[in-house]
Amino acid sequence: MNLLEYEAKSIMKTFGIPVPVGSVVAEKNDPVDTPCVIKSQVPIGGRGKAGGVVVVQSEDKVSEVIERLLCLGIKGFTPTHLLAEELLSIERELYLSLTINRSSEQIELIAHREGGVEIESHSPDEFFTRALPGRGFDGVGDTLADYYNLPEKSFVVQELVENLYRCFTDSDATLLEINPLCLTHDGRLVAGDGKMTLDDAAAYRHPDWQFEAKPANRNFVVLDQEGAVASLANGAGLAMATVDAIAAQGLKPANFLDIGGAATPETILRSFQQITALPNVTAIVINIFGGIVRCDDVAQAILEAQSHLPELPRLVVRLSGNRADEAKTLLAASGLNLHPTLTSCLEELLS
Ligand code: GDP
Ligand code: MN
């Protein structure tokens, strides 16, 4: 489950990780101190670039910014809450995260000297990485502070990494990311943004996990973070066959997704959002066999979800079975070609 920023920061704070002073806002007249930064609480990155992070200097602008942000959809998500925080006076933006390296079976620290909204423009081999095999990882503060070019901060950096490690393991997190980690003009290191993914399988031992964020779709599996062709099918068998067929054509499948029998506009929208979070997807193959599920319901759901996500990659659709003719009419009206078979879907992709 991907926590919202305010949820992640409230956990981080309990582990002694410095976060800005802030409050959660849900209505335009909620009290907010200025100057401040007001941030949309949607479970997706890239809010800064999408206009979801706004600096407010004077009090008379607050309610207008709150109203605007509460209506601003970002990649298909509309926030129910905003986070208003003290404005940081930022000298440098750094990057710091902990994640699980599944090959080495260790928790791995990843850092970069230049954090912020352009982090994805750095190539993977540019990052500082270090395995954290357990408690007592002495020396990481020195090495990392040197890497950041902040040698005088080695003690602070060491403490930050130790706190992050405790936060990560005690919370059963699979990702803990601070981007930007802000160096302020008065010399503090503060988490400007906080992202946390919790392991849904550990929920049974965390009765305290009462979040606005929703657990991830269990039937969605990322197969290849760099994959180019995403897929969405109903039924695990058909979903596996779809992935295999994509790979057999020499294309790189990005994910496995079984949407099950409930293809509502909400579930399709959520699936598209998970797919568009993958960086290299250029096409989505939709492969539905309508038995109980009505193909025209699925078509309607696809069109609705599509209207919320203007930057959706190309859709290649095969719907067959129950009410496929009606589905074809619906999709044709919006310029989408309905394929009779998966083979012809893939032919279109390769042509
Ligand atoms: P994201 O785009 O979803 O990752 O949202 P972030 O919370 O990382 O904010 C994006 C950018 O907004 C940051 O990289 C900063 O440059 C800027 N920003 C966020 N908070 C502050 C702040 O308190 N002061 C200043 N000056 N800039 C901020
Ligand atoms: Mn960020």
Side-chain angles (χ1 to χ4, degrees):
M1 155 170 58
N2 293 329
L3 298 187
L4 294 165
E5 178 191 8
Y6 78 89
E7 296 170 326
K9 281 179 167 170
S10 77
I11 296 177
M12 286 159 61
K13 191 177 169 185
T14 64
F15 286 91
I17 298 159
V19 299
V21 178
S23 61
V24 175
V25 174
E27 283 173 38
K28 72 169 181 174
N29 292 323
D30 285 346
V32 169
D33 290 334
T34 49
C36 66
V37 58
I38 304 188
K39 309 172 77 177
S40 179
Q41 296 300 290
V42 286
I44 190 111
R47 297 165 303 161
K49 287 188 176 174
V53 177
V54 182
V55 171
V56 186
Q57 295 290 355
S58 65
E59 198 167 338
D60 55 321
K61 295 276 188 296
V62 169
S63 60
E64 143 193 347
V65 170
I66 294 179
E67 241 178 343
R68 176 152 54 85
L69 285 180
L70 284 172
C71 298
L72 176 71
I74 299 180
K75 301 181 187 173
F77 295 99
T78 311
T80 56
H81 293 101
L82 309 174
L83 178 60
E85 289 183 333
E86 63 173 316
L87 192 60
L88 298 172
S89 172
I90 302 175
E91 185 176 327
R92 283 178 60 199
E93 299 193 4
L94 313 167
Y95 176 90
L96 179 60
S97 71
L98 296 192
T99 183
I100 293 173
N101 181 327
R102 288 174 196 276
S103 311
S104 65
E105 301 178 13
Q106 281 177 324
I107 296 174
E108 189 165 75
L109 179 153
I110 303 176
H112 202 288
R113 312 186 173 85
E114 291 168 39
V117 296
E118 297 298 339
I119 195 70
E120 272 143 27
S121 66
H122 304 303
S123 77
D125 55 356
E126 260 184 56
F127 287 78
F128 170 104
T129 60
R130 187 182 148 149
L132 298 179
R135 283 164 206 263
F137 24 84
D138 289 341
V140 66
D142 285 337
T143 326
L144 184 55
D146 279 349
Y147 167 77
Y148 281 147
N149 206 9
L150 296 168
E152 73 285 4
K153 295 263 179 281
S154 79
F155 181 78
V156 179
V157 172
Q158 175 76 29
E159 191 182 338
L160 177 62
V161 173
E162 286 178 13
N163 288 341
L164 275 175
Y165 185 88
R166 272 196 309 120
C167 180
F168 187 92
T169 50
D170 288 9
S171 311
D172 283 310
T174 57
L175 172 73
L176 185 48
E177 182 183 73
I178 302 178
N179 184 36
L181 172 64
C182 301
L183 174 69
T184 62
H185 282 107
D186 57 3
R188 292 179 297 144
L189 280 176
V190 184
D193 189 9
K195 179 172 177 188
M196 225 171 148
T197 305
L198 302 178
D199 181 355
D200 293 322
Y204 74 94
R205 58 183 180 203
H206 292 278
D208 54 312
W209 281 4
Q210 303 295 330
F211 298 114
E212 180 186 335
K214 298 283 168 288
N217 183 350
R218 280 167 193 275
N219 298 320
F220 184 94
V221 182
V222 175
L223 299 172
D224 183 346
Q225 192 70 30
E226 309 296 316
V229 182
S231 61
L232 179 162
N234 67 325
L238 191 60
M240 281 191 273
T242 306
V243 169
D244 285 349
I246 292 167
Q249 296 295 331
L251 300 164
K252 255 190 178 181
N255 73 297
F256 164 95
L257 171 58
D258 164 20
I259 60 162
T264 64
E266 290 72 30
T267 56
I268 302 255
L269 175 62
R270 226 163 116 216
S271 304
F272 282 168
Q273 284 164 333
Q274 284 179 293
I275 289 170
T276 51
L278 298 168
N280 293 333
V281 171
T282 54
I284 305 175
V285 175
I286 298 177
N287 188 14
I288 302 288
F289 182 79
I292 298 168
V293 172
R294 283 173 44 166
C295 290
D296 55 342
D297 284 347
V298 178
Q300 191 62 47
I302 292 171
L303 296 176
E304 266 188 54
Q306 200 183 20
S307 71
H308 290 283
L309 288 168
E311 291 156 40
L312 205 61
R314 170 150 80 124
L315 300 182
V316 193
V317 189
R318 178 244 177 178
L319 294 172
S320 96
N322 187 8
R323 295 178 75 95
D325 289 341
E326 288 84 348
K328 188 171 185 169
T329 313
L330 275 172
L331 292 180
S334 75
L336 266 180
N337 181 17
L338 192 58
H339 290 269
T341 63
L342 179 58
T343 312
S344 88
C345 277
L346 297 175
E347 276 165 6
E348 184 193 318
L349 274 188
L350 290 166
S351 66

